[in-house]
């Protein structure tokens, strides 16, 4: 079993960057950005990207993300910056007490390239690059469709849009995490769950690297989990912070992919987990899985994005994950 320390990205902005951005454009998390920031703002984000990648390298993570410092509207960001999307009023995603904008799709979701540009900038800063993108179901769930015929066509359009964006990612990308919390918080109904699996296939097939579908804020319904297992991805991520028993039961009863991502560090709580505790949690999960389930790669990660944490605590979480991967598990 190979342990790789990583995260689902979406990091907190350093305090000095927050102040500078606020001075430049009244910029706070939740304010709209349009993808056409001026040179001074671009320079700030360039500095933040370097700082966030350096923090991951210093901690010793095996996979390093760009950090998504520009993603004011979190998972909805790839739509928010699109020319054919109107950035609507303030809404709250996932009942998490953070407020973002409502992306209203009013035209064709043509190729944009925003995510690829961020990753291209990161390629000069790390050799262990991991891409992060919203999954098609969560992105469709967070958006308002005012253009496509119905919700089925909208999901297909979102999947095609993400696939085109991901196909443009630089060759240096080592892994891709697709973040799909809506699969847990607003599970697809019968029939839709199969369509979601096909949409994830469309996105995953756009890149020739291991693809991890990271779910969080609970555990999946059994049927949703079954259809996700049918998707052509390399690993599914489980939130063992929010619901360790539910996720352990899913794996015990239905199995999972040969690789797995384990959300073992709390992305919203400032309490810092000991590396030994993280390893013990991995070993406990192993005891809950059927003997036939022999994991090849285990991604050790936080259960959610780390945006919710103070910067110093965020950095401590990175170190805990890296140290746990270094410790390994008992054979």
């Amino acid at each position: 079993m190979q342990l790789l320390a990583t995260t689902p990205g979406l990091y907190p902005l350093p305090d000095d960057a927050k102040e500078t951005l606020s001075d430049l454009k009244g910029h706070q998390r939740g304010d709209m950005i349009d993808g056409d920031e001026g040179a001074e703002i671009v320079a700030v984000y360039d500095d933040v990207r370097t700082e966030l990648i350096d923090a991951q390298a210093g901690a010793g993570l095996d996979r390093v993300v760009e950090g998504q410092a520009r993603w004011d509207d979190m998972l909805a960001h790839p739509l928010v910056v699109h020319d054919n999307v109107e950035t609507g009023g303030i809404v709250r995603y996932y009942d998490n007490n953070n407020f973002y904008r409502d992306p209203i799709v009013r035209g064709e979701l043509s190729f944009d390239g925003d995510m690829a540009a961020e990753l291209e900038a990161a390629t000069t800063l790390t050799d262990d690059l991991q891409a992060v993108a919203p999954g098609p179901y969560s992105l469709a769930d967070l958006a308002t469709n005012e253009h496509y015929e119905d919700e089925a066509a909208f999901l297909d359009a979102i999947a095609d849009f993400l696939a085109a964006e991901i196909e443009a990612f630089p060759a240096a990308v080592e892994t891709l995490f697709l973040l799909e919390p809506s699969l847990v918080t607003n599970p697809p109904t019968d029939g839709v769950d199969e369509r979601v699996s096909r949409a994830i296939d469309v996105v995953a097939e756009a890149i020739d690297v291991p693809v991890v579908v990271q779910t969080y804020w609970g555990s999946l319904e059994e049927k949703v989990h079954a259809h996700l297992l049918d998707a052509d991805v390399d690993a599914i991520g489980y939130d063992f912070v929010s619901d360790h028993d539910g996720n352990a039961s899913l794996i015990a009863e239905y199995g999972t992919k040969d690789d797995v991502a384990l959300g073992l560090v709390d992305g919203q709580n400032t309490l810092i987990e000991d590396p030994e505790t993280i390893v013990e949690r991995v070993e406990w999960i192993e005891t809950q899985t059927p003997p036939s389930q022999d994991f090849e790669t285990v991604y050790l990660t936080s259960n959610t994005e780390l945006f919710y944490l103070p910067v110093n605590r965020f950095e401590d979480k990175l170190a805990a994950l890296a140290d746990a991967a270094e410790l390994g598990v008992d054979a």
Side-chain angles (χ1 to χ4, degrees):
M1 177 194 299
Q2 179 186 32
L3 299 184
L4 296 179
T6 187
T7 68
L10 290 158
Y11 289 165
L13 272 172
D15 291 338
D16 56 346
K18 284 183 184 177
E19 293 175 7
T20 302
L21 289 166
S22 180
D23 290 342
L24 288 172
K25 56 181 283 191
H27 178 105
Q28 298 291 341
R29 284 283 183 176
D31 284 351
M32 180 176 66
I33 63 171
D34 61 9
D36 296 317
E37 301 93 340
E40 289 180 295
I41 292 173
V42 169
V44 173
Y45 284 127
D46 286 345
D47 290 342
V48 171
R49 180 185 300 112
T50 299
E51 187 174 340
L52 294 177
I53 289 176
D54 285 348
Q56 294 170 83
L61 290 187
D62 298 294
R63 293 289 183 268
V64 172
V65 301
E66 188 269 342
Q68 297 77 48
R70 290 177 57 243
W71 291 30
D72 289 15
D73 292 281
M74 305 297 275
L75 296 183
H77 169 86
L79 290 182
V80 171
V81 297
H82 195 282
D83 288 342
N84 290 334
V85 177
E86 176 187 333
T87 314
I90 295 291
V91 296
R92 182 170 65 180
Y93 300 161
Y94 303 119
D95 197 29
N96 65 4
N97 292 323
N98 286 276
F99 293 85
Y100 313 100
R101 301 279 184 165
D102 175 27
I104 304 168
V105 177
R106 298 201 182 277
E108 197 74 17
L109 289 175
S110 54
F111 176 75
D112 180 77
D114 187 85
M115 287 190 291
E118 289 181 335
L119 289 167
E120 189 63 48
T123 60
T124 63
L125 303 172
T126 179
D127 294 325
D128 304 303
L129 186 61
Q130 174 176 295
V132 171
Y137 180 70
S138 293
L139 191 56
D141 181 47
L142 295 177
T144 299
N145 172 30
E146 296 289 348
H147 176 73
Y148 293 93
E149 178 182 359
D150 54 29
E151 293 312 300
F154 187 49
L155 177 61
D156 290 345
I158 291 284
D160 290 341
F161 165 70
L162 284 171
E165 300 300 303
I166 288 167
E167 191 173 10
F169 284 1
V173 169
E174 299 280 346
T175 52
L176 168 63
F177 264 48
L178 291 176
L179 308 188
E180 282 282 20
S182 287
L183 287 177
V184 173
T185 62
N186 184 27
T189 55
D190 286 349
V192 178
D193 44 16
E194 294 182 54
R195 193 155 57 242
V196 168
S197 179
R198 292 195 297 270
I200 290 172
D201 280 348
V202 168
V203 176
E205 289 167 2
I207 191 168
D208 189 21
V209 301
V211 176
V212 181
V213 176
Q214 182 76 10
T215 66
Y216 47 102
W217 285 319
S219 57
L220 294 161
E221 292 184 354
E222 292 180 1
K223 190 172 182 183
V224 175
H225 182 247
H227 284 297
L228 191 54
L229 286 177
D230 289 338
D232 190 18
V233 298
D234 298 271
I236 298 171
Y238 301 88
D239 179 353
F240 278 90
V241 174
S242 297
D243 187 2
H244 61 278
D245 286 335
N247 281 302
S249 295
L250 276 177
I251 296 174
E253 187 165 355
Y254 301 103
T256 190
K257 302 285 188 176
D258 291 337
D259 299 340
V260 68
L262 303 179
L264 301 174
V265 166
D266 195 330
Q268 301 180 87
N269 191 307
T270 56
L271 179 67
I272 305 303
E273 296 83 355
D274 294 329
E276 293 81 5
T277 299
I278 298 171
V279 171
E280 287 172 3
R281 291 173 180 174
V282 176
E283 292 171 341
W284 177 83
I285 292 165
E286 280 194 290
T287 68
Q288 306 302 304
T289 59
S292 59
Q293 185 74 64
D294 187 15
F295 295 127
E296 296 178 4
T297 300
V298 174
Y299 298 92
L300 302 182
T301 184
S302 58
N303 66 323
T304 70
E305 316 97 328
L306 293 165
F307 153 72
Y308 313 98
L309 297 173
V311 171
N312 62 334
R313 294 300 190 185
F314 144 73
E315 292 174 343
D316 290 341
K317 299 271 184 177
L318 299 183
L321 287 165
D323 290 346
E326 185 69 22
L327 281 174
V329 297
D330 292 334

PDB file of all heavy atoms in Angstrom, residues 60-83:
ATOM      1  N   GLY A  60       5.914  18.777   2.904  1.00  0.00           N
ATOM      2  CA  GLY A  60       6.266  17.464   2.383  1.00  0.00           C
ATOM      3  C   GLY A  60       5.130  16.703   1.752  1.00  0.00           C
ATOM      4  O   GLY A  60       5.155  15.464   1.688  1.00  0.00           O
ATOM      5  N   LEU A  61       4.114  17.403   1.235  1.00  0.00           N
ATOM      6  CA  LEU A  61       3.009  16.717   0.569  1.00  0.00           C
ATOM      7  C   LEU A  61       3.497  16.010  -0.693  1.00  0.00           C
ATOM      8  O   LEU A  61       4.387  16.504  -1.397  1.00  0.00           O
ATOM      9  CB  LEU A  61       1.906  17.708   0.203  1.00  0.00           C
ATOM     10  CG  LEU A  61       1.088  18.319   1.346  1.00  0.00           C
ATOM     11  CD1 LEU A  61      -0.055  19.137   0.787  1.00  0.00           C
ATOM     12  CD2 LEU A  61       0.561  17.263   2.298  1.00  0.00           C
ATOM     13  N   ASP A  62       2.870  14.879  -0.980  1.00  0.00           N
ATOM     14  CA  ASP A  62       3.238  14.119  -2.172  1.00  0.00           C
ATOM     15  C   ASP A  62       2.603  14.671  -3.439  1.00  0.00           C
ATOM     16  O   ASP A  62       3.139  14.511  -4.534  1.00  0.00           O
ATOM     17  CB  ASP A  62       2.819  12.657  -2.000  1.00  0.00           C
ATOM     18  CG  ASP A  62       3.533  12.001  -0.845  1.00  0.00           C
ATOM     19  OD1 ASP A  62       4.764  11.846  -0.919  1.00  0.00           O
ATOM     20  OD2 ASP A  62       2.859  11.664   0.156  1.00  0.00           O
ATOM     21  N   ARG A  63       1.428  15.272  -3.300  1.00  0.00           N
ATOM     22  CA  ARG A  63       0.751  15.925  -4.413  1.00  0.00           C
ATOM     23  C   ARG A  63       0.444  17.357  -4.009  1.00  0.00           C
ATOM     24  O   ARG A  63      -0.067  17.618  -2.920  1.00  0.00           O
ATOM     25  CB  ARG A  63      -0.541  15.189  -4.784  1.00  0.00           C
ATOM     26  CG  ARG A  63      -0.326  13.800  -5.358  1.00  0.00           C
ATOM     27  CD  ARG A  63       0.279  13.859  -6.762  1.00  0.00           C
ATOM     28  NE  ARG A  63       0.421  12.526  -7.336  1.00  0.00           N
ATOM     29  CZ  ARG A  63       1.509  11.778  -7.234  1.00  0.00           C
ATOM     30  NH1 ARG A  63       2.556  12.242  -6.565  1.00  0.00           N
ATOM     31  NH2 ARG A  63       1.563  10.581  -7.790  1.00  0.00           N
ATOM     32  N   VAL A  64       0.751  18.280  -4.900  1.00  0.00           N
ATOM     33  CA  VAL A  64       0.685  19.713  -4.603  1.00  0.00           C
ATOM     34  C   VAL A  64      -0.355  20.364  -5.509  1.00  0.00           C
ATOM     35  O   VAL A  64      -0.306  20.203  -6.728  1.00  0.00           O
ATOM     36  CB  VAL A  64       2.071  20.364  -4.820  1.00  0.00           C
ATOM     37  CG1 VAL A  64       1.994  21.876  -4.704  1.00  0.00           C
ATOM     38  CG2 VAL A  64       3.072  19.795  -3.819  1.00  0.00           C
ATOM     39  N   VAL A  65      -1.277  21.091  -4.915  1.00  0.00           N
ATOM     40  CA  VAL A  65      -2.318  21.767  -5.686  1.00  0.00           C
ATOM     41  C   VAL A  65      -1.943  23.227  -5.920  1.00  0.00           C
ATOM     42  O   VAL A  65      -1.089  23.783  -5.235  1.00  0.00           O
ATOM     43  CB  VAL A  65      -3.691  21.666  -4.977  1.00  0.00           C
ATOM     44  CG1 VAL A  65      -4.083  20.214  -4.784  1.00  0.00           C
ATOM     45  CG2 VAL A  65      -3.679  22.403  -3.649  1.00  0.00           C
ATOM     46  N   GLU A  66      -2.626  23.833  -6.876  1.00  0.00           N
ATOM     47  CA  GLU A  66      -2.371  25.253  -7.184  1.00  0.00           C
ATOM     48  C   GLU A  66      -2.849  26.153  -6.063  1.00  0.00           C
ATOM     49  O   GLU A  66      -2.291  27.229  -5.850  1.00  0.00           O
ATOM     50  CB  GLU A  66      -3.058  25.595  -8.513  1.00  0.00           C
ATOM     51  CG  GLU A  66      -2.740  26.971  -9.071  1.00  0.00           C
ATOM     52  CD  GLU A  66      -3.729  28.040  -8.606  1.00  0.00           C
ATOM     53  OE1 GLU A  66      -4.830  27.664  -8.147  1.00  0.00           O
ATOM     54  OE2 GLU A  66      -3.398  29.243  -8.688  1.00  0.00           O
ATOM     55  N   GLY A  67      -3.862  25.733  -5.351  1.00  0.00           N
ATOM     56  CA  GLY A  67      -4.343  26.479  -4.186  1.00  0.00           C
ATOM     57  C   GLY A  67      -5.668  27.181  -4.372  1.00  0.00           C
ATOM     58  O   GLY A  67      -6.348  27.503  -3.415  1.00  0.00           O
ATOM     59  N   GLN A  68      -6.020  27.499  -5.628  1.00  0.00           N
ATOM     60  CA  GLN A  68      -7.303  28.095  -5.966  1.00  0.00           C
ATOM     61  C   GLN A  68      -7.596  29.368  -5.171  1.00  0.00           C
ATOM     62  O   GLN A  68      -8.722  29.602  -4.736  1.00  0.00           O
ATOM     63  CB  GLN A  68      -8.459  27.094  -5.791  1.00  0.00           C
ATOM     64  CG  GLN A  68      -8.395  25.886  -6.689  1.00  0.00           C
ATOM     65  CD  GLN A  68      -7.383  24.860  -6.222  1.00  0.00           C
ATOM     66  OE1 GLN A  68      -7.345  24.503  -5.057  1.00  0.00           O
ATOM     67  NE2 GLN A  68      -6.547  24.401  -7.127  1.00  0.00           N
ATOM     68  N   ALA A  69      -6.601  30.211  -4.991  1.00  0.00           N
ATOM     69  CA  ALA A  69      -6.793  31.444  -4.225  1.00  0.00           C
ATOM     70  C   ALA A  69      -7.789  32.389  -4.883  1.00  0.00           C
ATOM     71  O   ALA A  69      -8.420  33.202  -4.204  1.00  0.00           O
ATOM     72  CB  ALA A  69      -5.445  32.150  -4.043  1.00  0.00           C
ATOM     73  N   ARG A  70      -7.937  32.295  -6.208  1.00  0.00           N
ATOM     74  CA  ARG A  70      -8.863  33.179  -6.931  1.00  0.00           C
ATOM     75  C   ARG A  70     -10.308  32.696  -6.858  1.00  0.00           C
ATOM     76  O   ARG A  70     -11.214  33.407  -7.284  1.00  0.00           O
ATOM     77  CB  ARG A  70      -8.460  33.268  -8.404  1.00  0.00           C
ATOM     78  CG  ARG A  70      -7.180  34.024  -8.671  1.00  0.00           C
ATOM     79  CD  ARG A  70      -6.819  33.989 -10.149  1.00  0.00           C
ATOM     80  NE  ARG A  70      -7.872  34.517 -10.999  1.00  0.00           N
ATOM     81  CZ  ARG A  70      -8.528  33.796 -11.921  1.00  0.00           C
ATOM     82  NH1 ARG A  70      -8.268  32.503 -12.073  1.00  0.00           N
ATOM     83  NH2 ARG A  70      -9.456  34.348 -12.659  1.00  0.00           N
ATOM     84  N   TRP A  71     -10.534  31.507  -6.325  1.00  0.00           N
ATOM     85  CA  TRP A  71     -11.857  30.905  -6.396  1.00  0.00           C
ATOM     86  C   TRP A  71     -12.768  31.470  -5.312  1.00  0.00           C
ATOM     87  O   TRP A  71     -13.180  30.769  -4.380  1.00  0.00           O
ATOM     88  CB  TRP A  71     -11.763  29.390  -6.293  1.00  0.00           C
ATOM     89  CG  TRP A  71     -11.130  28.726  -7.485  1.00  0.00           C
ATOM     90  CD1 TRP A  71     -10.179  29.248  -8.319  1.00  0.00           C
ATOM     91  CD2 TRP A  71     -11.401  27.411  -7.969  1.00  0.00           C
ATOM     92  NE1 TRP A  71      -9.837  28.348  -9.290  1.00  0.00           N
ATOM     93  CE2 TRP A  71     -10.568  27.203  -9.102  1.00  0.00           C
ATOM     94  CE3 TRP A  71     -12.245  26.391  -7.557  1.00  0.00           C
ATOM     95  CZ2 TRP A  71     -10.574  26.007  -9.821  1.00  0.00           C
ATOM     96  CZ3 TRP A  71     -12.249  25.197  -8.272  1.00  0.00           C
ATOM     97  CH2 TRP A  71     -11.429  25.014  -9.397  1.00  0.00           C
ATOM     98  N   ASP A  72     -13.116  32.728  -5.438  1.00  0.00           N
ATOM     99  CA  ASP A  72     -13.952  33.384  -4.440  1.00  0.00           C
ATOM    100  C   ASP A  72     -15.267  32.655  -4.225  1.00  0.00           C
ATOM    101  O   ASP A  72     -15.793  32.612  -3.114  1.00  0.00           O
ATOM    102  CB  ASP A  72     -14.276  34.825  -4.874  1.00  0.00           C
ATOM    103  CG  ASP A  72     -13.078  35.728  -4.780  1.00  0.00           C
ATOM    104  OD1 ASP A  72     -11.962  35.208  -4.671  1.00  0.00           O
ATOM    105  OD2 ASP A  72     -13.257  36.947  -4.814  1.00  0.00           O
ATOM    106  N   ASP A  73     -15.814  32.112  -5.284  1.00  0.00           N
ATOM    107  CA  ASP A  73     -17.089  31.421  -5.196  1.00  0.00           C
ATOM    108  C   ASP A  73     -16.922  29.909  -5.178  1.00  0.00           C
ATOM    109  O   ASP A  73     -17.812  29.160  -5.582  1.00  0.00           O
ATOM    110  CB  ASP A  73     -17.999  31.874  -6.332  1.00  0.00           C
ATOM    111  CG  ASP A  73     -18.402  33.328  -6.145  1.00  0.00           C
ATOM    112  OD1 ASP A  73     -19.292  33.582  -5.334  1.00  0.00           O
ATOM    113  OD2 ASP A  73     -17.791  34.197  -6.779  1.00  0.00           O
ATOM    114  N   MET A  74     -15.763  29.510  -4.690  1.00  0.00           N
ATOM    115  CA  MET A  74     -15.454  28.117  -4.408  1.00  0.00           C
ATOM    116  C   MET A  74     -15.721  27.228  -5.627  1.00  0.00           C
ATOM    117  O   MET A  74     -15.245  27.541  -6.701  1.00  0.00           O
ATOM    118  CB  MET A  74     -16.221  27.654  -3.166  1.00  0.00           C
ATOM    119  CG  MET A  74     -15.967  28.552  -1.940  1.00  0.00           C
ATOM    120  SD  MET A  74     -14.245  28.561  -1.398  1.00  0.00           S
ATOM    121  CE  MET A  74     -14.241  27.102  -0.363  1.00  0.00           C
ATOM    122  N   LEU A  75     -16.458  26.137  -5.469  1.00  0.00           N
ATOM    123  CA  LEU A  75     -16.605  25.180  -6.560  1.00  0.00           C
ATOM    124  C   LEU A  75     -17.259  25.770  -7.796  1.00  0.00           C
ATOM    125  O   LEU A  75     -17.075  25.263  -8.902  1.00  0.00           O
ATOM    126  CB  LEU A  75     -17.418  23.968  -6.090  1.00  0.00           C
ATOM    127  CG  LEU A  75     -16.797  23.117  -4.989  1.00  0.00           C
ATOM    128  CD1 LEU A  75     -17.689  21.914  -4.693  1.00  0.00           C
ATOM    129  CD2 LEU A  75     -15.404  22.654  -5.372  1.00  0.00           C
ATOM    130  N   ALA A  76     -18.025  26.824  -7.631  1.00  0.00           N
ATOM    131  CA  ALA A  76     -18.700  27.429  -8.781  1.00  0.00           C
ATOM    132  C   ALA A  76     -17.772  28.300  -9.627  1.00  0.00           C
ATOM    133  O   ALA A  76     -18.181  28.759 -10.704  1.00  0.00           O
ATOM    134  CB  ALA A  76     -19.886  28.263  -8.302  1.00  0.00           C
ATOM    135  N   HIS A  77     -16.547  28.497  -9.201  1.00  0.00           N
ATOM    136  CA  HIS A  77     -15.632  29.434  -9.870  1.00  0.00           C
ATOM    137  C   HIS A  77     -15.523  29.234 -11.385  1.00  0.00           C
ATOM    138  O   HIS A  77     -15.586  30.233 -12.128  1.00  0.00           O
ATOM    139  CB  HIS A  77     -14.239  29.346  -9.244  1.00  0.00           C
ATOM    140  CG  HIS A  77     -13.183  30.058 -10.021  1.00  0.00           C
ATOM    141  ND1 HIS A  77     -12.921  31.405  -9.865  1.00  0.00           N
ATOM    142  CD2 HIS A  77     -12.334  29.630 -10.999  1.00  0.00           C
ATOM    143  CE1 HIS A  77     -11.960  31.763 -10.692  1.00  0.00           C
ATOM    144  NE2 HIS A  77     -11.597  30.710 -11.394  1.00  0.00           N
ATOM    145  N   PRO A  78     -15.356  28.010 -11.900  1.00  0.00           N
ATOM    146  CA  PRO A  78     -15.195  27.881 -13.355  1.00  0.00           C
ATOM    147  C   PRO A  78     -16.370  28.435 -14.144  1.00  0.00           C
ATOM    148  O   PRO A  78     -16.200  28.821 -15.308  1.00  0.00           O
ATOM    149  CB  PRO A  78     -15.048  26.362 -13.559  1.00  0.00           C
ATOM    150  CG  PRO A  78     -14.491  25.875 -12.266  1.00  0.00           C
ATOM    151  CD  PRO A  78     -15.160  26.704 -11.219  1.00  0.00           C
ATOM    152  N   LEU A  79     -17.547  28.475 -13.552  1.00  0.00           N
ATOM    153  CA  LEU A  79     -18.687  29.102 -14.217  1.00  0.00           C
ATOM    154  C   LEU A  79     -18.715  30.599 -13.969  1.00  0.00           C
ATOM    155  O   LEU A  79     -19.047  31.381 -14.876  1.00  0.00           O
ATOM    156  CB  LEU A  79     -19.998  28.482 -13.742  1.00  0.00           C
ATOM    157  CG  LEU A  79     -20.292  27.041 -14.168  1.00  0.00           C
ATOM    158  CD1 LEU A  79     -21.663  26.610 -13.655  1.00  0.00           C
ATOM    159  CD2 LEU A  79     -20.230  26.888 -15.685  1.00  0.00           C
ATOM    160  N   VAL A  80     -18.392  31.010 -12.768  1.00  0.00           N
ATOM    161  CA  VAL A  80     -18.490  32.425 -12.401  1.00  0.00           C
ATOM    162  C   VAL A  80     -17.668  33.301 -13.339  1.00  0.00           C
ATOM    163  O   VAL A  80     -18.060  34.425 -13.663  1.00  0.00           O
ATOM    164  CB  VAL A  80     -18.053  32.631 -10.935  1.00  0.00           C
ATOM    165  CG1 VAL A  80     -17.922  34.116 -10.596  1.00  0.00           C
ATOM    166  CG2 VAL A  80     -19.049  31.972  -9.986  1.00  0.00           C
ATOM    167  N   VAL A  81     -16.524  32.801 -13.798  1.00  0.00           N
ATOM    168  CA  VAL A  81     -15.644  33.613 -14.647  1.00  0.00           C
ATOM    169  C   VAL A  81     -15.974  33.478 -16.134  1.00  0.00           C
ATOM    170  O   VAL A  81     -15.305  34.089 -16.964  1.00  0.00           O
ATOM    171  CB  VAL A  81     -14.161  33.250 -14.409  1.00  0.00           C
ATOM    172  CG1 VAL A  81     -13.756  33.556 -12.981  1.00  0.00           C
ATOM    173  CG2 VAL A  81     -13.878  31.790 -14.736  1.00  0.00           C
ATOM    174  N   HIS A  82     -16.984  32.694 -16.477  1.00  0.00           N
ATOM    175  CA  HIS A  82     -17.306  32.454 -17.890  1.00  0.00           C
ATOM    176  C   HIS A  82     -18.133  33.606 -18.457  1.00  0.00           C
ATOM    177  O   HIS A  82     -19.025  34.142 -17.793  1.00  0.00           O
ATOM    178  CB  HIS A  82     -18.082  31.139 -18.028  1.00  0.00           C
ATOM    179  CG  HIS A  82     -18.146  30.624 -19.420  1.00  0.00           C
ATOM    180  ND1 HIS A  82     -19.003  31.143 -20.371  1.00  0.00           N
ATOM    181  CD2 HIS A  82     -17.457  29.628 -20.048  1.00  0.00           C
ATOM    182  CE1 HIS A  82     -18.839  30.494 -21.505  1.00  0.00           C
ATOM    183  NE2 HIS A  82     -17.902  29.566 -21.334  1.00  0.00           N
ATOM    184  N   ASP A  83     -17.864  33.946 -19.713  1.00  0.00           N
ATOM    185  CA  ASP A  83     -18.537  35.081 -20.352  1.00  0.00           C
ATOM    186  C   ASP A  83     -20.045  34.903 -20.461  1.00  0.00           C
ATOM    187  O   ASP A  83     -20.792  35.887 -20.444  1.00  0.00           O
ATOM    188  CB  ASP A  83     -17.958  35.315 -21.755  1.00  0.00           C
ATOM    189  CG  ASP A  83     -16.556  35.899 -21.713  1.00  0.00           C
ATOM    190  OD1 ASP A  83     -16.163  36.433 -20.647  1.00  0.00           O
ATOM    191  OD2 ASP A  83     -15.861  35.823 -22.742  1.00  0.00           O
TER     192      ASP A  83
END
